[in-house]
Amino acid sequence: MTIAPLSANAAATPSPQARSAAPSDYTTFLRMLTAQLQNQDPLNPMDSSDYAVQLATFSGVEQQQRTNQLLESLGSQFGVMNLAQLAGWVGKEARVAAPAWVDGAPVTLSPNPAALADRAVLVVRDAAGSLISREDIPLIAGPMDWAGTDMAGDPLPAGAYSFSLESYSNGDLLNTRPVEVYAPITEARGGPNGTMLVLRGGIEVLAADVTALRGGV
């Protein structure tokens, strides 16, 4: 009876069941190795180097499993630490290129028109992508309050709206850029793509996409 060495791939990507069964597997290995020694052919005994290779192989696999467990534990701890740090963001306003929740109150925008522009047009669309308004705004790079109205000046119904800015020079369109908005952060939570922030209205953004914070507690 020969115990085949485990492959390196098996060591690199053990399943959760394999990780949890490492101690029992090690005991099983020792029993199998003992049985192998007891039942080997006396006229053709197992070479001592083969014994050493099998023992070293299993020891290496077990060590790799423990290393993987340690790395997973550290990853979980780092994730918890990151969320703990982001807890201080809750209640503050994040500046991010994302839709904003409109419910009758003014929305603070950060338009940032092109440097050579002589005209800037704010374009507002609803959650379905339909055009809601186009309006000229001042050529300023700092924050400005948008009233939350349509092209007729009537208040918009509550909902999520997205913003872009068209920059013109001598009547020619220079570029169209997403407009960053300021929105309160209501929650921070982990996600498959990284830490997510939940803004007012349930709008979710990646924490890595936030370019500034202001106000809050």
Side-chain angles (χ1 to χ4, degrees), residues 39-79:
N39 294 281
Q40 64 182 334
D41 185 352
L43 301 178
N44 186 25
M46 182 177 66
D47 190 87
S48 59
S49 61
D50 292 338
Y51 169 82
V53 167
Q54 293 183 24
L55 185 61
T57 298
F58 192 89
S59 177
V61 170
E62 182 188 31
Q63 185 63 39
Q64 182 64 48
Q65 291 175 348
R66 291 180 178 177
T67 300
N68 290 344
Q69 289 176 326
L70 176 60
L71 291 175
E72 289 179 357
S73 175
L74 288 174
S76 299
Q77 293 178 30
F78 286 143

Side-chain angles (χ1 to χ4, degrees), residues 101-114:
W101 184 259
V102 176
D103 56 5
V107 177
T108 303
L109 308 178
S110 182
N112 195 23

Side-chain angles (χ1 to χ4, degrees), residues 173-207:
L173 178 63
L174 297 177
N175 58 44
T176 302
R177 297 174 179 171
V179 172
E180 293 184 320
V181 303
Y182 284 89
I185 301 171
T186 61
E187 182 182 354
R189 63 170 178 247
N193 298 319
T195 303
M196 303 295 296
L197 299 178
V198 182
L199 309 180
R200 184 176 62 182
I203 297 169
E204 297 185 358
V205 298
L206 284 170

Side-chain angles (χ1 to χ4, degrees), residues 142-153:
M144 59 163 283
D145 287 338
W146 175 69
T149 58
D150 59 20
M151 285 184 279

Side-chain angles (χ1 to χ4, degrees), residues 94-199:
R95 187 181 72 191
V96 61
W101 184 259
V102 176
D103 56 5
V107 177
T108 303
L109 308 178
S110 182
N112 195 23
L116 300 178
D118 56 23
R119 181 189 176 204
V121 178
L122 179 67
V123 181
V124 183
R125 298 183 182 274
D126 62 17
S130 300
L131 179 65
I132 298 300
S133 73
R134 289 172 53 87
E135 57 183 280
D136 284 68
I137 62 173
L139 291 169
I140 59 174
M144 59 163 283
D145 287 338
W146 175 69
T149 58
D150 59 20
M151 285 184 279
D154 298 322
L156 294 172
Y161 294 84
S162 58
F163 307 87
S164 61
L165 188 72
E166 298 175 349
S167 295
Y168 292 86
S169 177
N170 296 321
D172 296 326
L173 178 63
L174 297 177
N175 58 44
T176 302
R177 297 174 179 171
V179 172
E180 293 184 320
V181 303
Y182 284 89
I185 301 171
T186 61
E187 182 182 354
R189 63 170 178 247
N193 298 319
T195 303
M196 303 295 296
L197 299 178
V198 182
L199 309 180

